[in-house]
């Protein structure tokens, strides 16, 4: 129970609490005041605002796409888009300007690994795996649960309702929206409340529509909220129109960001980039716009462009974690571990501390020949690790073991990685190679098979298996595996060479 | 009485199986004519009746199928074959045979084996069918079964080089090298083929009889002097035997016929590099890099080119990339160690040499360089044991000389004298060419001698 000293105005106190972001206390005072006088508009305003802020979610950021959106995506314009014009069909090969697949590994969606795990980089399946199994697989280890898209709003909504004693604060369904729309200040608060607290885009749409009409279609704020409501309902084209119209009234960064979110969902990366560029001329120092651009370039595999964008982000905002991480990863995979190390160290200086970061620092140290640092960094990474990323750390220790020629360490680390996460395909593949060096052909073969069955996007297990089968004289299996290897990485010259030899075997005599 | 499975060679007319059972080969025409009158339901383009009711034999389609197959028009070919198989209810040998060939070329070997077996059932005496069954078994890795089939084929009595060649391949995979050589030789007596020579040479290489392999390849070269594969293989074998000049001859020859083969370029480049012509080697590697940008060997050689040109940073960058691509290649670690030793980064050099020793413990030079590095890092004891390890494996004047230098600089002049004498004895035993190869060695001998005399040892 919040105590308000005698003589202090309770409304003023609530107002201060709201400003100081102490929402729970603010709500408590407001509830007490409203119990006495339910028609006090000022108090109503404060409580409404506090509830909204409590549940606020920065929705200008990208979000995960749920299973329903991925499987039943009917927004794509072309069934077979040209490379680079769709997020599902990114640029390939030399055009991208980044490291090739032989150097930079790919994530489960078939894209080069990004330096920053953000929603959308992992889930949206590429060309190969848009099937039910792929969508439901869930990309975190230890869980088979996929993200269920807009359901997140629903879940958040129910949670917030439960926590509220005495039922909902505002029964939106019973309100006369027309009456509220006529009072601009209250209407805005109500609108935000409906969107962020109740997660009821249908009602907010109604309110926004009336309010825009009353504002004679000149108020950008109402149009932006209208667009947001449409977006949450999945009506992307309508949302796009509202955002564009809002931008005509007033050029706001947040509206541009939301507009671009629409384009991403509509799978139009190039239009999205245009929108960012247009906003960029009016807001040249806005890091979010540059960051958005960089993300889109990243998603269509245009590494050279995305790197310049990330650099620009850093020149505007020198402590942007995402940009630093991505640049670090880029430099690491383009043979500049020393430069990568500087970026990762910057992250450490900024106070970021996670398994992934320590792991990256350790690997960069290793490739920059700073062996004394590298193992202690990996130890730190292991100390911070949880079930999700411990296997990766052990895998990298295994890589270091191979690098310094300590194959015993490598073997044991990889075994540990596999024991922690039974689905760690990279470890299985490397274990196979180590077994092969020991002369255990059958075990090696089994390891390659396990790795290949776990992840169809890695070419290494397929190629290793194909090569082994070829050497053992089983050309049928070799052929099948080789074809799969080329599916995963079409420019792999060794696979092409092997396939050529196989075809020669098939066609002679 | 229905005749089934008439082979192409005999050229006997045959009709479809639905001819009434009394029809013999002589009554073909009339029987088919009857059938046409009955309705001719299956009168497809395959079996156009002549105006007088005569019917083309079932072989008539074979030429068409053959044409399509040779043109590699597989889809169309398969369509025609399906029609034929439907029509004759599977009793047609050649279409099945071609279908099996097509299946094999698209990588479905198990299916193709079944089809070949079917064809063999239709005509068990056709040696071509048996050969293909054997080939399919070979491709599936069932080498013993394949050999059985080839023996069966040999029993028919027609001498065929392919049978011997393929049987040789199977024996090779079963590691019965003597039998394999015997079979390849028999194949060559019947018919000479590049592929047989290549395989024969491979068997000799597997037996580590390199001279024998070179002889085989040279014989093959008389038969087909412009085969780049053979030329490259000979070049590589000579390289392995240490005869660089002859190796380069053959590799150069191979490059004139196939200038873009990465393997040849790499081998030729390494010889050019050995003669300190770094720029030419780099130009060669540039061609290869387009085809195999992720080849660790290539990057290793490029790195060593830069090392030869004294550009250490570039060299280390290239070698590091090579090591990233293939961490198991000990020689990359070894080279990286050398470069770091040269740039005075002894701690890094130590790590790379130790990695190299871990990956390949039987290369004595690694131990010597490891010892030099340890000496530079002031670890005299371990350095000595590394030298001794190297000397234990192979007695080389360089090992002894470096050991002597290390001992001398640590004040152990008596032992140094001993090693110096060892080194000098081995050095004297060398021919003039290798003596004059490195002037620095001679200089070091002289300075060491002076130092030892001064110390009175």
């Amino acid at each position: 129970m919040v105590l308000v000293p005698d003589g202090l105005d309770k409304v003023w106190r609530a107002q201060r609490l709201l400003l100081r972001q102490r929402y729970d206390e603010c709500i408590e005072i407001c509830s007490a005041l409203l119990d006495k006088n339910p028609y006090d508009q000022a108090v109503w305003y404060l409580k409404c605002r506090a509830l909204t802020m409590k549940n606020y979610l920065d929705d200008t950021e990208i979000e995960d796409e749920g299973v329903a959106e991925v499987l039943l995506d009917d927004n794509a314009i072309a069934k077979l888009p040209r490379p680079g014009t769709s997020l599902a069909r990114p640029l390939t090969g030399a055009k991208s300007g980044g490291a090739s697949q032989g150097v930079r590994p790919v994530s489960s969606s078939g894209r080069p690994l990004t330096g920053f795990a953000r929603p959308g980089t992992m889930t949206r399946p590429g060309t190969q795996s848009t099937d039910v199994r792929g969508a439901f697989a869930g990309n975190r280890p230890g869980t088979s649960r996929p993200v269920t898209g807009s359901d997140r709003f629903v879940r958040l909504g129910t949670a917030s309702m439960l926590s509220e004693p005495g039922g909902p604060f505002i029964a939106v369904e019973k309100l006369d929206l027309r009456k509220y729309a006529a009072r601009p200040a209250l209407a805005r608060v109500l609108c935000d409340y409906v969107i962020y607290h109740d997660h009821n885009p249908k009602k907010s749409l109604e309110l926004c529509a009336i309010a825009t009409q009353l504002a004679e279609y000149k108020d950008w704020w109402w149009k932006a909220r209208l667009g947001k409501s449409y977006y949450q309902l999945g009506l992307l084209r309508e949302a796009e129109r509202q955002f564009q119209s809002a931008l005509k009234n007033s050029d706001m960064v947040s509206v541009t960001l939301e507009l671009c979110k629409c384009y991403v969902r509509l799978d139009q990366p190039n239009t999205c980039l245009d929108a960012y560029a247009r906003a960029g001329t009016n807001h040249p120092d806005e890091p979010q716009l540059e960051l958005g651009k960089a993300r889109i370039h990243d998603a269509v595999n245009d590494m050279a462009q995305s790197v310049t964008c990330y650099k620009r982000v850093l020149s505007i905002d020198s402590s942007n974690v995402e940009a630093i991480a991505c640049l670090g990863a880029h430099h690491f995979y383009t043979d500049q571990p020393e430069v990568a190390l500087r970026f990762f160290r910057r992250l450490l200086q900024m106070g970021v501390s996670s398994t992934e970061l320590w792991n990256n620092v350790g690997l960069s140290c290793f490739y920059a020949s700073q062996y004394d640092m590298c193992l202690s960094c990996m130890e730190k990474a292991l100390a911070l690790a949880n079930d999700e990323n411990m296997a990766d750390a052990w895998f990298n220790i295994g890589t270091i073991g191979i690098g310094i020629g300590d194959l015993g360490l490598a073997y044991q680390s990889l075994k540990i990685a596999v024991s922690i996460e039974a689905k760690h395909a990279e470890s299985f593949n490397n274990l196979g190679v180590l077994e092969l060096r020991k002369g255990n052909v059958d075990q090696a073969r089994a390891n390659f098979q396990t790795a290949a069955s776990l992840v169809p996007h890695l070419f290494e297990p397929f190629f290793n298996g194909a090569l082994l089968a070829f050497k053992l004289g089983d050309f049928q299996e070799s052929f099948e595996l080789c074809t799969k290897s080329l599916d995963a990485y079409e420019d792999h010259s060794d696979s092409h060479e092997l396939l050529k030899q196989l075809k020669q075997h098939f066609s002679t005599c | 009485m229905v005749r089934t499975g008439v082979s192409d060679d005999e050229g006997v007319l045959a009709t479809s199986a639905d001819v009434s059972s009394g029809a013999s080969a002589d009554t073909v025409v009339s029987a088919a004519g009857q059938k046409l009158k009955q309705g001719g339901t299956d009168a497809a383009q395959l079996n156009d009746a002549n105006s007088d009711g005569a019917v083309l034999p079932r072989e008539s389609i074979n030429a068409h199928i053959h044409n399509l197959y040779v043109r590699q028009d597989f889809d169309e070919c398969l369509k025609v074959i399906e029609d034929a198989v439907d029509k004759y209810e599977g009793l047609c040998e050649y279409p099945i045979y071609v279908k099996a060939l097509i299946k094999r070329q698209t990588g479905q070997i198990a299916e193709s084996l079944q089809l070949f077996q079917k064809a063999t059932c239709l005509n068990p005496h056709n040696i071509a069918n048996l050969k293909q069954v054997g080939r399919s078994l070979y491709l599936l890795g069932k080498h013993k079964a394949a050999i059985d089939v080839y023996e069966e084929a040999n029993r028919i009595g027609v001498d065929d080089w392919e049978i011997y060649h393929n049987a040789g391949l199977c024996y090779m995979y079963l590691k019965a090298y003597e039998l394999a050589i015997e079979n390849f030789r028999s194949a060559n007596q019947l018919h000479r083929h590049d592929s047989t020579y290549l395989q024969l040479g491979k068997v000799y290489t597997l037996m580590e009889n390199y001279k024998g392999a070179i002889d085989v390849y040279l014989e093959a070269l008389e038969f087909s002097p412009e085969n780049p594969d053979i030329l490259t293989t000979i070049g590589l074998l000579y390289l392995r035997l240490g005869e660089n000049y002859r190796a380069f001859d053959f590799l150069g020859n191979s490059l004139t016929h196939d200038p873009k083969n990465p393997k040849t370029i790499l081998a030729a480049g390494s010889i050019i590099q050995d003669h300190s012509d770094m720029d030419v080697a780099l130009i060669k590697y540039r061609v290869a890099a387009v085809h195999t940008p992720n080849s660790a060997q290539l990057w290793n050689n490029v790195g060593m080119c830069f090392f030869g040109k004294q550009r250490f940073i570039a060299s280390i960058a290239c070698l590091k990339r090579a090591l990233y691509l293939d961490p198991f290649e000990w020689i990359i670690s070894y080279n990286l160690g050398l470069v770091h030793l040269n740039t005075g980064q002894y701690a890094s050099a130590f790590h790379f040499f130790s990695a190299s020793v871990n990956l390949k413990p039987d290369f004595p030079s690694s131990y010597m360089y490891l010892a030099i590095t340890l000496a530079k890092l002031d670890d005299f004891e371990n350095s000595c044991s590394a030298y001794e390890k190297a000397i234990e494996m192979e007695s080389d004047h360089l090992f002894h000389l470096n050991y002597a230098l290390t001992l001398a600089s640590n004040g152990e002049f008596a032992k140094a004298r001993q090693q110096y004498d060892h080194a000098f004895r081995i050095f004297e035993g060398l021919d003039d060419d290798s003596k004059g190869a490195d002037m620095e060695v001679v200089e070091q001998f002289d300075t060491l001698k002076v130092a030892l005399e001064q110390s009175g040892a």
Side-chain angles (χ1 to χ4, degrees):
Chain A
M1 181 70 206
V2 192
L3 290 174
V4 182
D6 285 336
L8 199 61
D9 186 9
K10 288 186 178 172
V11 181
W12 182 85
R13 175 79 181 138
Q15 208 176 342
R16 297 311 299 169
L17 286 170
L18 179 68
L19 276 177
R20 287 159 64 191
Q21 306 193 346
R22 285 159 68 174
Y23 302 123
D24 285 327
E25 293 162 35
C26 172
I27 292 165
E28 217 179 303
I29 296 177
C30 291
S31 301
L33 285 172
L34 280 176
D35 274 348
K36 283 184 209 147
N37 179 11
Y39 299 105
D40 189 335
Q41 283 191 10
V43 180
W44 188 89
Y45 177 96
L46 285 175
K47 184 175 181 186
C48 194
R49 200 71 206 130
L51 279 169
T52 310
M53 291 314 290
K54 205 178 142 190
N55 291 296
Y56 182 75
L57 188 81
D58 185 2
D59 53 7
T60 54
E61 285 288 333
I62 21 179
E63 63 214 0
D64 264 330
E65 280 190 30
V67 183
E69 281 93 340
V70 169
L71 286 180
L72 306 170
D73 182 12
D74 51 0
N75 295 317
I77 300 207
K79 282 278 172 222
L80 283 171
R82 278 174 295 137
T85 61
S86 157
L87 298 174
R89 189 125 185 272
L91 288 174
T92 47
K95 271 172 283 171
S96 62
S100 79
Q101 207 170 337
V103 177
R104 189 169 188 162
V106 291
S107 67
S108 58
S109 58
R111 291 230 179 75
L113 229 49
T114 43
F116 190 77
R118 52 184 169 239
T121 53
M122 310 295 272
T123 40
R124 193 176 234 274
T127 38
Q128 299 144 10
S129 52
T130 319
D131 59 353
V132 180
R133 229 188 89 223
F136 273 96
N139 47 49
R140 284 162 303 155
T143 170
S144 56
R145 220 190 131 92
V147 180
T148 38
S150 55
D151 299 1
R152 184 165 67 172
F153 295 121
V154 178
R155 219 177 305 136
L156 287 171
T158 47
S160 66
M161 256 178 238
L162 256 187
S163 65
E164 225 174 293
F169 166 52
I170 304 170
V172 188
E173 301 293 336
K174 292 179 197 151
L175 286 184
D176 180 8
L177 294 176
R178 205 163 280 285
K179 201 177 85 193
Y180 275 90
R183 302 169 181 170
L186 278 188
R188 278 168 210 236
V189 177
L190 180 64
C191 177
D192 270 357
Y193 176 84
V194 175
I195 291 177
Y196 290 110
H197 182 270
D198 279 4
H199 304 291
N200 189 349
K202 247 161 81 189
K203 267 293 170 211
S204 72
L205 184 69
E206 228 172 280
L207 179 63
C208 293
I210 302 166
T212 329
Q213 225 170 1
L214 290 176
E216 294 171 344
Y217 304 101
K218 275 179 190 152
D219 192 331
W220 72 268
W221 195 91
W222 282 113
K223 286 180 187 168
R225 285 297 183 278
L226 195 54
K228 198 192 286 286
S229 307
Y230 274 129
Y231 180 81
Q232 287 195 0
L233 287 169
L235 299 166
L236 301 174
R237 284 294 178 195
E238 282 79 0
E240 180 200 350
R241 214 173 303 136
Q242 293 305 329
F243 287 134
Q244 273 172 341
S245 151
L247 279 177
K248 249 177 233 153
N249 289 126
S250 170
D251 194 356
M252 303 300 280
V253 174
S254 65
V255 180
T256 312
L257 292 176
E258 284 192 73
L259 176 63
C260 289
K261 244 171 68 180
C262 276
Y263 286 131
V264 171
R265 284 283 287 274
L266 285 167
D267 195 9
Q268 289 183 311
N270 288 333
T271 322
C272 187
L273 285 175
D274 287 346
Y276 277 129
R278 235 177 293 129
T281 50
N282 292 337
H283 309 277
D285 289 333
E286 178 53 53
Q288 283 300 321
L289 291 175
E290 284 297 329
L291 205 54
K293 249 198 264 185
R295 284 171 183 162
I296 300 291
H297 283 306
D298 227 356
V300 291
N301 272 6
D302 195 344
M303 289 296 161
Q305 288 282 337
S306 86
V307 166
T308 45
C309 287
Y310 281 128
K311 282 188 180 150
R312 230 173 295 149
V313 175
L314 271 193
S315 68
I316 302 167
D317 171 11
S318 54
S319 50
N320 188 304
V321 178
E322 184 173 351
I324 297 176
C326 286
L327 282 174
H330 173 79
H331 284 291
F332 179 79
Y333 287 118
T334 44
D335 291 331
Q336 293 170 306
E338 293 88 352
V339 185
L341 190 55
R342 294 174 72 112
F343 280 107
F344 292 135
R345 207 171 52 204
R346 165 83 184 151
L347 282 181
L348 283 180
Q349 284 164 351
M350 282 165 48
V352 185
S353 174
S354 69
T355 312
E356 286 84 358
L357 184 57
W358 281 109
N359 172 61
N360 288 351
V361 173
L363 271 186
S364 302
C365 280
F366 172 68
Y367 284 108
S369 306
Q370 300 185 6
Y371 297 108
D372 45 345
M373 285 286 293
C374 115
L375 280 178
S376 51
C377 286
M378 294 314 282
E379 267 168 19
K380 203 120 193 195
L382 281 180
L384 288 169
N386 54 15
D387 282 353
E388 279 180 29
N389 45 28
M390 195 184 275
D392 282 330
W394 277 112
F395 168 77
N396 284 323
I397 294 176
T399 312
I400 292 171
I402 293 171
I404 56 175
D406 191 345
L407 299 187
L409 171 71
Y411 188 82
Q412 281 176 357
S413 312
L414 292 175
K415 277 277 181 201
I416 295 173
V418 170
S419 72
I420 293 167
E421 191 190 327
K423 282 161 85 178
H424 204 261
E426 290 88 349
S427 296
F428 273 114
N429 177 54
N430 288 5
L431 267 179
V433 179
L434 286 173
E435 293 282 6
L436 202 58
R437 276 182 66 91
K438 285 183 176 175
N440 302 338
V441 176
D442 288 334
Q443 290 219 21
R445 208 169 176 176
N447 276 325
F448 292 143
Q449 269 164 2
T450 321
S453 64
L454 289 174
V455 278
H457 63 270
L458 288 182
F459 74 94
E460 289 95 342
F462 288 123
F463 176 71
N464 288 339
L467 198 62
L468 187 58
F470 183 78
K471 283 190 177 152
L472 292 173
D474 190 346
F475 298 107
Q476 166 82 69
E477 196 184 324
S478 180
F479 181 84
E480 278 163 16
L481 290 173
C482 202
T483 334
K484 280 185 194 157
S485 155
L486 283 175
D487 279 348
Y489 177 22
E490 54 182 335
D491 295 329
H492 189 229
S493 58
D494 289 330
S495 293
H496 278 294
E497 180 66 21
L498 184 61
L499 200 63
K500 212 173 90 191
Q501 283 190 22
L502 281 169
K503 289 219 163 124
Q504 238 165 34
H505 265 91
F506 293 162
S507 56
T508 46
C509 306
Chain B
M1 178 199 70
V2 179
R3 291 199 57 170
T4 57
V6 180
S7 88
D8 317 357
D9 324 35
E10 292 167 44
V12 176
L13 292 181
T15 60
S16 51
D18 58 350
V19 174
S20 59
S21 58
S24 69
D26 310 8
T27 59
V28 163
V29 176
S30 60
Q34 256 174 12
K35 202 182 76 190
L36 275 181
K37 268 178 238 152
Q38 279 162 8
T41 43
D42 57 352
Q45 86 265 42
L46 299 174
N47 206 355
D48 288 324
N50 289 342
S51 52
D52 59 351
V55 154
L56 292 173
R58 75 170 74 177
E59 285 81 16
S60 60
I61 195 66
N62 290 358
H64 184 47
I65 290 176
H66 180 73
N67 265 334
L68 288 172
Y69 173 68
V70 171
R71 286 206 310 244
Q72 304 214 341
D73 191 352
F74 291 154
D75 291 339
E76 181 65 29
C77 191
L78 277 179
K79 221 181 280 166
V80 173
I81 289 171
E82 285 309 321
D83 286 347
V85 171
D86 277 354
K87 185 170 170 200
Y88 300 121
E89 293 177 355
L91 299 179
C92 42
E93 184 190 354
Y94 189 71
I96 292 178
Y97 179 82
V98 175
K99 187 178 173 189
L101 284 178
I102 294 175
K103 287 274 178 207
R104 176 189 290 165
Q105 294 215 9
T106 47
Q108 294 153 293
I109 302 174
E111 282 177 43
S112 125
L113 173 64
Q114 278 180 355
L115 288 166
F116 280 129
Q117 276 167 338
K118 214 163 161 189
T120 318
C121 286
L122 291 177
N123 185 2
H125 296 292
N126 189 346
I127 203 161
N129 290 338
L130 276 177
K131 265 179 2 195
Q132 295 300 353
V133 171
R135 180 95 187 146
S136 298
L137 286 169
Y138 159 72
L139 290 175
L140 285 171
K142 297 172 182 163
H143 300 120
K144 282 216 181 76
I147 289 174
D148 289 344
V149 172
Y150 285 128
E151 274 168 7
E152 171 96 20
N154 259 339
R155 238 173 274 142
I156 293 178
V158 190
D159 266 341
D160 193 322
W161 74 274
E162 273 182 36
I163 294 177
Y164 289 111
H165 175 85
N166 288 334
L169 281 179
C170 293
Y171 281 121
M172 189 171 84
Y173 273 104
L174 292 173
K175 298 199 168 41
Y177 296 134
E178 296 298 333
L179 278 168
I181 291 175
E182 200 180 298
N183 273 294
F184 284 134
R185 292 248 179 248
S186 321
N188 263 346
Q189 273 160 12
L190 290 172
H191 259 283
R192 299 203 293 175
H193 280 270
D194 286 1
S195 54
T196 314
Y197 279 118
L198 278 171
Q199 295 300 341
L200 186 56
K202 201 166 144 195
V203 176
Y204 277 117
T205 319
L206 284 172
M207 294 167 75
E208 300 190 354
N209 178 358
Y210 300 121
K211 284 266 181 270
I214 289 183
D215 289 342
V216 169
Y217 287 129
L218 287 177
E219 199 183 321
L221 211 56
E222 283 167 25
F223 168 65
S224 68
E226 290 185 358
N227 187 333
D229 281 342
I230 298 179
L231 285 165
T232 307
T233 321
I234 299 179
L236 289 176
L237 278 173
Y238 272 127
L239 202 59
R240 194 176 277 187
L241 293 174
E243 298 185 38
N244 286 357
Y245 282 108
R246 289 174 103 168
F248 190 63
D249 271 354
F250 284 104
L251 291 172
N253 229 331
S254 168
L255 277 182
T256 49
H257 296 299
D258 182 5
K260 284 184 180 167
N261 188 344
K263 211 163 89 183
T264 324
I265 291 176
L266 213 54
S270 77
I271 299 175
I272 299 172
Q273 210 173 330
D274 279 345
H275 292 97
S276 317
D277 203 349
M278 303 303 172
D279 292 314
V280 179
L282 278 177
I283 288 169
K284 293 265 176 227
Y285 293 144
R286 194 180 294 163
V287 182
V290 178
H291 296 274
T292 52
N294 288 334
S295 154
Q297 288 81 7
L298 178 79
W299 284 108
N300 174 58
N301 286 5
V302 173
M304 288 322 274
C305 267
F306 283 123
F307 179 56
K309 292 173 74 170
Q310 305 286 312
R311 286 171 56 189
F312 297 119
I313 304 287
S315 164
I316 289 176
C318 291
L319 288 169
K320 282 259 175 81
R321 166 169 272 202
L323 197 63
Y324 182 90
L325 292 168
D326 189 352
F328 286 108
E329 198 73 83
W330 65 274
I331 200 153
I332 304 173
S333 292
Y334 177 76
N335 287 338
L336 267 169
L338 283 181
V339 181
H340 280 102
L341 193 60
N342 249 284
T343 51
Q345 289 165 300
Y346 303 117
S348 300
F350 166 76
H351 279 290
F352 287 115
F353 282 127
S354 96
S356 158
V357 165
N358 276 329
L359 291 172
K360 190 175 169 73
D362 54 351
F363 189 67
S365 290
S366 314
Y367 290 101
M368 182 192 76
Y369 283 115
L370 188 61
I372 297 176
T373 315
L374 284 167
K376 298 271 188 196
L377 290 168
D378 292 331
D379 189 349
F380 179 58
E381 272 172 50
N382 283 320
S383 165
C384 286
S385 45
Y387 274 123
E388 266 148 32
K389 173 90 185 170
I391 290 167
E392 183 191 312
M393 294 167 81
E394 188 187 323
S395 212
D396 189 293
H397 67 280
L398 278 178
F399 299 172
H400 289 289
L401 180 62
N402 278 317
Y403 194 12
L405 282 168
T406 307
L407 286 167
S409 55
N410 278 281
E412 303 251 4
F413 291 107
K415 280 189 188 168
R417 181 82 223 177
Q418 231 176 334
Q419 293 299 330
Y420 174 81
D421 291 341
H422 261 299
F424 200 68
R425 219 176 305 133
I426 299 170
F427 188 65
E428 284 297 297
L430 294 174
D431 53 42
D432 286 341
D433 260 5
S434 10
K435 264 188 206 169
D438 195 348
M439 288 317 290
E440 214 185 323
V441 175
V442 184
E443 271 171 40
Q444 289 296 335
F445 265 117
D446 292 342
T447 37
L448 185 59
K449 201 175 171 186
V450 174
L452 286 173
E453 274 160 9
Q454 274 173 357
S455 70

